[in-house]
Amino acid sequence: MTTVRSSPVLHLDQLTVDYRVDGEWRLALTNISLSIAPGETYGLVGESGSGKTTLAAAVAGFLPKNSRIRGGHIYVLDHDVTRYSRREWQRLWRHTLAVVFQNPGASLNPALRIQTQLAESFRAAGLTGPDVYASMISLLEQLRLRDPKRVLTSYPHQLSGGMQQRVAIAIALARQPSLLILDEPTTGLDATVAADVLELISELQTQYRTAILFISHDLHAVARTCNRVGVLYAGRLVEEGPVQEIVNHPSHPYTVSLLRCLPRFGMRKTQQQLLSLPGDPIAAWQVLQGCAFASRCYAAAPLCADQSPAAHFVSREHYSVCHFAPHLPPPPVNSRTASTQQPSLPSPSHKTAPLLTLERVRKTYERQGHKTLAVNHVSFSLAAGETIGLIGESGSGKSTLARIIVGLQSPDAGSRLVFDGQPLADRVRQRSASQRQRVQLIFQNPELVLNPRRRIGDILHRAIVKLGSQRGAAAHAAVRSLAQQVQFPLHLLQARPAAISGGLKQRAAIAHGLAGHPQLLVLDEPTSSLDVSTQAAILNLLVDLQQQTSMAYLFISHDLALVHYIADRIIVLFAGSVMECIPADYLFDAPLHPYTAALLTSGLRQNVAIRASEHQALTLTPSPEGCPYVQQCPLAIPGICDQQFPPCQEPQRNHQIFCHAPLEHLPRITRVAESENSITLIFPHANER
């Protein structure tokens, strides 16, 4: 089905992979054929369990011992590596092939400083002497790591998850590989850094003609990065073609559904539910006849259950394995009816008493005599039934603020937190049992709450008993109910965390956070590791739970379209300081902080047009009292922005912007017609400083 291009860097020919489970071989991938040319990026998308990671492991030589390549071939630079020995793979890893895993902890040695690990890659590429150190600094700067010298002297555990991921990417890029495999490489990165990382990878790819296999559950991220895309389901390629054709004219119901699971920028929770695929993905070995996707397909007919579909070419390079391609009916639209829409929430600063109040919360870290201000006098209130979205790049203080709210870290002296009218003690052990139960956190990394020695069902049962009043049979029933709410397969409640995928771990972690029926749920990147269908189901669940219980959410995410969908207000953090607090409905056609505009242009899934004559940032050295964003700001005023913290301006009710620039000079987002699938960012008077 895939035409082999001249001299591909990677070519898979009818690749079939099995796993041995409980003494029998089970199919994981079947007859996968694809090729990637020099300088080309091939995107591979699909839900958890579709076979993406298995395919990457087979190509990279990392298949586990209980697996085998039953059929087909893997060619790298025209060499058949299907039966390579360990020594042959090591030579390939050293000179030709590099992998960036979703979890940087899988590739970073916790016992070695970053400098030692990164230098090894540069030396493998042939650099020696002082050139190695200079190249390391340059690459880390390109990857937006603010203090590369400190990063080099750090151990992995001393860096944030986003910083660890950028280091892992640097280690892979340093060897200038012919083939680069990126397995969810930007999952833990904020929008601006992710955009910069992908742009850097694209530049290096152009320079060195690197072939890239880009694995992601986000079709829109793939659309911004890749030339071609393959859609994987149940170990089968069900659609493949040029990326713009796939995104704009999908011809398989599975691809259509994946695209509809994602919130479009501008969509709001009060208007429309996200599409969530029914049921669970099935494994390749469970498909006995017919179409693998038939049981979940909105367009399925009796024919689909009985006959396996053939590939239909929609265009010369675009095919779909579907009986009805290329003429598919649209999927159903799940609009929220008037009875299920969320009521308008009053501002917590007015008539309704806030559930949570933060007053001048500050956090300073000290390491080797050097102080770092992580959170700088953050103040806001959150009402019952309200969702505040917290956005900002990695290192802006989002996770630190979340951990302070739930009592896992102590703020500096002078900070004040109040919950439901009562002061919140700094540490969780000093808080009352009621406060501990009513304030819960869902971590970005689910392994922080899942005991590796216990079964998932036991973990949830313990949380229900410890945080609630249910015991005995009621507690066991509650475990099953929680699992069903977050779409966690009931038969895996007996599994331990190591035996399930990252997406399933996150579902279990979300169930753990809901176990005590909290009033305030702090969600730190809760859906970052989930495939888009499960993400849609979780977001719909969170919206429904909030309507039923008036639970309040502090929702932290790098996905701006997602934050805009679920949040009532959005708080923008940079270097620990609040740059803007804006009602989500005001995001269009209202003045924005220049940093908010930068996040939007980096992270939007739509096409973004930037309208201004010139808006390049000045080179300024700020004082500690100056605006933290001054060095990147296109509107910076020398002698003011670099010397004084910006005042608070309020363009309209409940909208605060901390900026020296006049409101009429601030950028605005203008939505173009829906059919154009784009927005315009306007910088008025960008040159008039």
Side-chain angles (χ1 to χ4, degrees):
M1 289 181 288
T2 300
T3 302
V4 181
R5 303 182 178 190
S6 59
S7 301
V9 176
L10 174 68
H11 175 55
L12 305 185
D13 180 21
Q14 299 292 305
L15 179 67
T16 299
V17 177
D18 294 337
Y19 282 100
R20 191 170 183 83
V21 180
D22 296 331
E24 62 181 58
W25 290 101
R26 292 183 175 178
L27 187 65
L29 294 174
T30 178
N31 297 329
I32 302 294
S33 295
L34 61 86
S35 63
I36 309 177
E40 182 181 38
T41 301
Y42 185 99
L44 191 67
V45 298
E47 293 173 280
S48 296
S50 62
K52 303 188 305 294
T53 300
T54 296
L55 191 149
V59 171
F62 295 140
L63 281 175
K65 292 182 179 179
N66 68 326
S67 64
R68 69 179 182 185
I69 296 177
R70 174 154 60 90
H73 298 273
I74 303 170
Y75 297 96
V76 177
L77 294 175
D78 294 329
H79 296 284
D80 189 346
V81 303
T82 311
R83 311 297 175 191
Y84 260 23
S85 66
R86 179 74 175 180
R87 183 180 296 275
E88 289 172 315
W89 274 113
Q90 288 174 339
R91 187 165 58 248
L92 197 69
W93 296 331
R94 183 178 181 87
H95 299 291
T96 305
L97 189 153
V99 185
V100 176
F101 296 99
Q102 179 179 355
N103 178 11
S107 57
L108 297 179
N109 189 327
L112 297 177
R113 296 184 190 274
I114 299 302
Q115 180 170 338
T116 303
Q117 302 183 58
L118 185 53
E120 183 180 1
S121 281
F122 275 106
R123 292 192 182 100
L127 267 66
T128 58
D131 290 342
V132 173
Y133 187 80
S135 297
M136 288 192 293
I137 293 293
S138 175
L139 184 54
L140 294 181
E141 287 176 342
Q142 286 179 291
L143 288 166
R144 292 277 298 268
L145 285 160
R146 291 180 185 168
D147 190 351
K149 293 182 179 179
R150 184 183 70 83
V151 170
L152 289 176
T153 60
S154 301
Y155 290 96
H157 73 273
Q158 295 172 322
L159 305 177
S160 70
M163 295 171 74
Q164 287 181 12
Q165 186 65 300
R166 280 175 275 175
V167 167
I169 292 171
I171 290 173
L173 293 177
R175 282 179 279 148
Q176 301 173 13
S178 299
L179 175 61
L180 178 62
I181 300 174
L182 303 172
D183 189 358
E184 302 279 4
T186 59
T187 295
L189 303 182
D190 60 83
T192 53
V193 175
D196 287 345
V197 166
L198 294 177
E199 183 178 354
L200 173 62
I201 291 171
S202 178
E203 291 173 359
L204 293 174
Q205 179 190 40
T206 301
Q207 181 178 354
Y208 299 112
R209 301 287 292 163
T210 305
I212 296 178
L213 176 61
F214 186 93
I215 297 172
S216 177
H217 57 248
D218 186 346
L219 261 170
H220 287 293
V222 168
R224 295 198 303 267
T225 310
C226 301
N227 307 107
R228 290 186 301 133
V229 61
V231 183
L232 202 63
Y233 186 78
R236 296 156 169 81
L237 273 179
V238 297
E239 187 167 8
E240 184 190 74
V243 67
Q244 291 305 321
E245 285 193 37
I246 297 287
V247 171
N248 296 324
H249 305 288
S251 295
H252 194 283
Y254 181 55
T255 312
V256 173
S257 299
L258 289 180
L259 287 165
R260 293 294 296 270
C261 288
L262 291 161
R264 297 186 308 277
F265 191 76
M267 185 190 297
R268 304 284 285 121
K269 63 184 176 184
T270 55
Q271 302 166 344
Q272 187 174 330
Q273 282 188 323
L274 299 174
L275 177 68
S276 178
L277 285 166
D280 296 315
I282 63 175
W285 62 271
Q286 295 175 305
V287 182
L288 302 179
Q289 66 178 13
C291 174
F293 188 59
S295 63
R296 308 174 72 198
C297 181
Y298 66 88
L303 168 73
C304 303
D306 300 326
Q307 297 182 24
S308 297
H312 297 274
F313 278 87
V314 180
S315 66
R316 189 170 62 87
E317 295 184 324
H318 178 190
Y319 73 81
S320 171
V321 185
C322 176
H323 289 294
F324 306 110
H327 306 293
L328 293 173
V333 176
N334 298 324
S335 299
R336 292 189 183 276
T337 63
S339 61
T340 62
Q341 286 184 6
Q342 204 172 27
S344 299
L345 291 165
S347 168
S349 60
H350 291 270
K351 296 181 181 180
T352 303
L355 180 67
L356 174 72
T357 300
L358 276 66
E359 296 179 0
R360 297 184 66 79
V361 172
R362 180 183 173 98
K363 177 63 178 178
T364 306
Y365 293 109
E366 185 169 355
R367 177 186 166 213
Q368 298 177 349
H370 177 71
K371 290 186 177 181
T372 301
L373 186 60
V375 175
N376 185 20
H377 292 154
V378 171
S379 300
F380 65 85
S381 294
L382 177 62
E386 184 185 26
T387 299
I388 286 183
L390 193 61
I391 64 174
E393 61 186 84
S394 182
S396 62
K398 304 187 302 298
S399 293
T400 298
L401 194 60
R403 295 172 72 88
I404 288 173
I405 291 171
V406 298
L408 296 180
Q409 288 183 341
S410 298
D412 293 351
S415 305
R416 186 166 182 261
L417 289 85
V418 178
F419 181 75
D420 200 16
Q422 300 296 318
L424 270 181
D426 288 349
R427 305 295 292 189
V428 66
R429 292 182 180 178
Q430 301 168 334
R431 298 178 180 179
S432 68
S434 174
Q435 288 178 332
R436 291 196 297 270
Q437 177 263 322
R438 295 164 70 195
V439 181
Q440 289 290 308
L441 169 66
I442 294 176
F443 292 93
Q444 178 180 1
N445 181 0
E447 294 176 355
L448 294 175
V449 295
L450 301 180
N451 188 328
R453 293 185 295 272
R454 292 188 175 272
R455 302 180 190 277
I456 298 297
D458 295 337
I459 294 171
L460 297 182
H461 183 270
R462 183 176 185 273
I464 288 168
V465 171
K466 191 175 180 66
L467 296 174
S469 58
Q470 294 166 304
R471 301 289 188 276
H476 287 290
V479 169
R480 297 177 64 86
S481 176
L482 269 179
Q484 290 172 331
Q485 279 184 318
V486 300
Q487 292 193 350
F488 187 91
L490 295 180
H491 70 277
L492 290 178
L493 288 172
Q494 297 304 309
R496 290 182 171 83
I500 61 178
S501 69
L504 288 174
K505 289 178 187 177
Q506 189 65 302
R507 290 187 235 186
I510 291 172
H512 184 275
L514 295 172
H517 302 288
Q519 288 182 286
L520 170 61
L521 196 57
V522 180
L523 302 118
D524 190 0
E525 298 281 1
T527 62
S528 63
S529 63
L530 301 180
D531 58 69
V532 292
S533 177
T534 304
Q535 173 182 276
I538 293 298
L539 292 175
N540 289 336
L541 167 66
L542 291 174
V543 172
D544 291 342
L545 284 174
Q546 190 173 56
Q547 292 174 354
Q548 297 163 12
T549 66
S550 293
M551 197 186 319
Y553 299 144
L554 181 64
F555 193 95
I556 301 171
S557 178
H558 295 133
D559 190 326
L560 297 176
L562 191 154
V563 169
H564 184 249
Y565 172 79
I566 198 169
D568 302 296
R569 288 186 292 150
I570 299 172
I571 293 177
V572 184
L573 280 182
F574 181 81
S577 297
V578 175
M579 297 287 98
E580 183 166 12
C581 179
I582 180 171
D585 288 334
Y586 292 177
L587 201 59
F588 292 108
D589 298 320
L592 298 174
H593 192 282
Y595 178 55
T596 307
L599 289 174
L600 289 166
T601 56
S602 298
L604 288 181
R605 294 188 171 112
Q606 278 85 349
N607 301 315
V608 179
I610 302 177
R611 188 188 305 165
S613 301
E614 293 180 15
H615 48 275
Q616 299 299 316
L618 298 175
T619 302
L620 296 171
T621 303
S623 72
E625 293 78 26
C627 175
Y629 189 60
V630 66
Q631 290 177 305
Q632 292 94 348
C633 184
L635 303 178
I637 306 170
I640 297 179
C641 297
D642 51 340
Q643 300 299 319
Q644 304 170 25
F645 192 85
C648 177
Q649 303 186 68
E650 192 163 357
Q652 51 260 320
R653 181 184 173 189
N654 301 326
H655 182 189
Q656 295 87 36
I657 300 175
F658 292 86
C659 187
H660 288 287
L663 290 176
E664 62 268 21
H665 287 196
L666 293 178
R668 295 170 180 261
I669 295 289
T670 300
R671 183 161 29 188
V672 184
E674 184 74 18
S675 60
E676 296 183 32
N677 196 35
S678 62
I679 66 167
T680 298
L681 172 62
I682 303 174
F683 274 84
H685 310 290
N687 293 326
E688 301 175 14
R689 305 184 191 187

